[in-house]
Amino acid sequence: MMRLRNHIYGIALVVLGCCVSLSAQTFQNLSGVSGTLNGGLFSTNLAWGDYDGDGLLDLYSTNWGTAVSNPINALFQNQGDGTFVNTATSAGVDNNGNSVAAAFADYDNDGDLDLYIADFYAQDFLYQNQGDGTYSEVGRSLGLVNLERRGNVTSVAWGDYNADGQLDFYLGKFYFANELYNNNGDGTFTPVTDLDVGDGRDTNAVLWADYDGDGDADLYTVNREQENKLYRNDLNADGSFADVSVALGVANNEIGQNGTWGDYDNDGDLDLYLANIGANALYENDGGTGFTDVADLAGVRIDNSGWLTAMADWADYDGDGFLDLYLATGSDRQFQRDILYANNGDGTFDNINAFANLPTGPSVHFAARWGDFDGNGAPDLYMTDGFGSGNLLFQNDTPGSRFIQVFVQGGGGEQDGGYVPALGAKVSLLDSNGDLVATREVDDAAGLSFGVQESVEYRIEVRFPESASVVAVTGLRGGDQRTVVQP
């Protein structure tokens, strides 16, 4: 069933809100019946996105080769009835290298989602969406991206670093400096070499986020056994990026695996959680002027003496108004148990896997991401397996009436109801007095959900990265969906 959304184009409006603490909600394991098991494959990563423009989130899974498996990546097309069909071959995205990351974005501004695939050993893939459910590979065939294939790519992130309305991308690498590619607006990309963001410290993950709230995209790199880097975007001020990682207290030097930005304390600025081999970190943002690691006080630093976290992802899964945190754990040599940390709203978290009907035994999960595949506003969860046991899909049973769903549409337009995100847009939820309730930033193609109190009205305000203007929408209640289109 296609999602029905009301569209708001650059209008300003108003309203109220308050969130309540709710008991733990549960999940249904749909892994076997959904068609997304991806069994027998060493699965490394995933990306949510509506690639076919039918208003339903689809799912891309990247795979790695082993002695007994052919690592063909999977594109799971959402059928709208709780099931998925693997259309990777018919869509033209069934490459079988050693893929480690995937990211959807509309890089050509034509209203549909294109796809970048990072390959650890070979040249990467850039797939252009043809608008008919198929893709054409343009990066390798036309030599548009990563032509020299220097180093081993581990991660990719889309972001408009220079606020020109064209999405650029940044590659994290092993054995070579990271690379930033500028979108030239004509279907080609050019390496950027003069901004001093080529971190050469064996990067496992790269994250764009406006941590200081000045309207431009800053960059964080998660590095293995070396200090992480936070590059503040000062292009509007002096035309450069500044390395502020040490000065702001986020130069973490654990064995970094991944990270995720989210306003867990609802104070209006983005905080940072780091997934490490060893102690994890939760950096509370002090208003853009510094960070404080509160992981120990919050109860999310370490779960046992052999802790190994592969990925973390924020979402308000239970609709209580506070971001919760899921940790995918384990490696190909060591089994661990995943953790769902429920946010108590007082700066602390509780491990509630056993109460939420999520896996409690040891596993090898390399990635986990939230995405509302059934369109009811409650974030669902998909995790990839690195041992061949099969990926897992869990449907969230929390009522949709506890969420307001927001889709921030990019300026490229919309194809047949599909969602093309305005990456970097900041969305604020406010109450009737105009006070801030929660903040989100658009960083992927999965859409946003705000947990709210039922039968109470709210207001949202959206600030787009290329504009100082704010688009406001009022009169929203739990269960509502809105698409706000970039003016």
Side-chain angles (χ1 to χ4, degrees):
M1 180 183 297
M2 183 180 299
R3 291 186 182 132
L4 298 178
R5 307 180 189 143
N6 295 323
H7 292 61
I8 309 296
Y9 292 80
I11 313 175
L13 301 148
V14 65
V15 192
L16 79 133
C18 173
C19 298
V20 296
S21 177
L22 302 171
S23 59
Q25 302 300 307
T26 60
F27 293 81
Q28 292 186 53
N29 187 347
L30 301 185
S31 309
V33 299
S34 67
T36 61
L37 197 61
N38 202 41
L41 294 174
F42 187 114
S43 192
T44 56
N45 218 319
L46 70 127
W48 290 102
D50 179 14
Y51 87 93
D52 54 2
D54 66 353
L56 298 166
L57 278 183
D58 309 298
L59 181 63
Y60 194 84
S61 177
T62 59
N63 298 314
W64 184 278
T66 69
V68 295
S69 70
N70 184 9
I72 300 176
N73 293 344
L75 174 60
F76 296 113
Q77 184 186 51
N78 193 335
Q79 303 299 294
D81 59 1
T83 66
F84 293 74
V85 173
N86 186 357
T87 59
T89 300
S90 61
V93 290
D94 56 339
N95 51 292
N96 64 341
N98 290 286
S99 300
V100 289
F104 284 108
D106 182 17
Y107 82 85
D108 52 5
N109 284 338
D110 65 350
D112 47 35
L113 287 177
D114 310 299
L115 180 64
Y116 193 101
I117 305 297
D119 192 291
F120 190 75
Y121 289 119
Q123 186 181 334
D124 293 352
F125 299 79
L126 175 61
Y127 290 106
Q128 185 182 52
N129 196 323
Q130 301 302 295
D132 59 1
T134 67
Y135 283 87
S136 175
E137 206 291 313
V138 296
R140 295 157 63 96
S141 61
L142 300 181
L144 300 181
V145 295
N146 201 28
L147 183 61
E148 298 180 40
R149 205 204 64 75
R150 298 170 292 188
N152 298 91
V153 178
T154 62
S155 47
V156 58
W158 293 97
D160 185 6
Y161 81 95
N162 54 3
D164 65 352
Q166 307 287 338
L167 286 177
D168 318 292
F169 65 88
Y170 186 85
L171 298 179
K173 297 188 174 189
F174 278 8
Y175 318 126
F176 197 81
N178 299 343
E179 291 183 309
L180 172 63
Y181 281 84
N182 179 70
N183 188 335
N184 299 317
D186 59 359
T188 66
F189 293 82
T190 302
V192 179
T193 59
D194 59 351
L195 293 180
D196 296 324
V197 292
D199 193 349
R201 302 185 178 215
D202 285 352
T203 297
N204 263 324
V206 294
L207 313 167
W208 292 105
D210 181 14
Y211 82 89
D212 53 2
D214 64 354
D216 50 32
D218 309 298
L219 179 65
Y220 192 82
T221 63
V222 181
N223 298 324
R224 182 180 177 86
E225 297 181 88
Q226 300 164 89
E227 287 186 349
N228 297 346
K229 291 285 188 181
L230 175 59
Y231 297 101
R232 185 183 64 212
N233 190 333
D234 291 334
L235 291 179
N236 291 330
D238 59 14
S240 69
F241 279 79
D243 178 3
V244 295
S245 39
V246 174
L248 299 188
V250 289
N252 190 280
N253 60 0
E254 296 282 350
I255 305 176
Q257 299 296 290
N258 219 299
T260 180
W261 291 94
D263 182 15
Y264 84 94
D265 51 5
N266 288 343
D267 65 353
D269 49 36
L270 295 176
D271 311 296
L272 175 64
Y273 189 83
L274 295 182
N276 296 323
I277 296 177
N280 296 338
L282 174 57
Y283 288 109
E284 183 180 10
N285 192 331
D286 301 325
T289 60
F291 292 82
T292 303
D293 186 0
V294 297
D296 201 24
L297 293 173
V300 294
R301 180 176 181 269
I302 191 166
D303 192 69
N304 60 50
S305 59
W307 197 229
L308 190 158
T309 309
M311 182 178 285
D313 201 24
W314 295 106
D316 179 9
Y317 93 93
D318 54 2
D320 69 351
F322 291 91
L323 287 176
D324 309 298
L325 184 66
Y326 194 84
L327 306 187
T329 66
S331 74
D332 58 336
R333 295 177 299 277
Q334 182 176 347
F335 283 70
Q336 296 264 315
R337 69 178 186 273
D338 286 7
I339 300 293
L340 173 58
Y341 281 119
N343 190 333
N344 296 317
D346 59 1
T348 67
F349 294 77
D350 287 328
N351 177 353
I352 62 164
N353 274 54
F355 302 100
N357 195 35
L358 290 170
T360 56
S363 60
V364 181
H365 290 155
F366 280 1
R369 295 191 186 277
W370 300 95
D372 178 23
F373 79 85
D374 54 5
N376 70 346
D380 308 301
L381 183 64
Y382 190 75
M383 56 199 77
T384 65
D385 182 84
F387 198 71
S389 300
N391 298 346
L392 300 177
L393 176 65
F394 286 89
Q395 184 179 41
N396 192 340
D397 286 337
T398 308
S401 58
R402 294 180 180 172
F403 299 93
I404 291 174
Q405 204 168 15
V406 181
F407 301 90
V408 185
Q409 182 80 29
E414 184 178 13
Q415 176 191 345
D416 298 330
Y419 170 58
V420 177
L423 295 179
K426 182 178 180 180
V427 184
S428 300
L429 180 74
L430 300 97
D431 64 17
S432 59
N433 297 317
D435 294 329
L436 182 69
V437 176
T439 303
R440 305 280 190 273
E441 183 170 302
V442 180
D443 60 3
D444 61 21
L448 301 174
S449 288
F450 289 92
V452 296
Q453 184 178 358
E454 294 171 291
S455 302
V456 174
E457 288 189 343
Y458 295 85
R459 168 191 178 98
I460 60 168
E461 294 182 351
V462 181
R463 187 182 72 182
F464 292 88
E466 295 92 32
S467 174
S469 63
V470 173
V471 178
V473 184
T474 59
L476 298 175
R477 295 176 180 267
D480 284 348
Q481 297 177 343
R482 291 294 186 275
T483 295
V484 181
V485 179
Q486 185 171 357

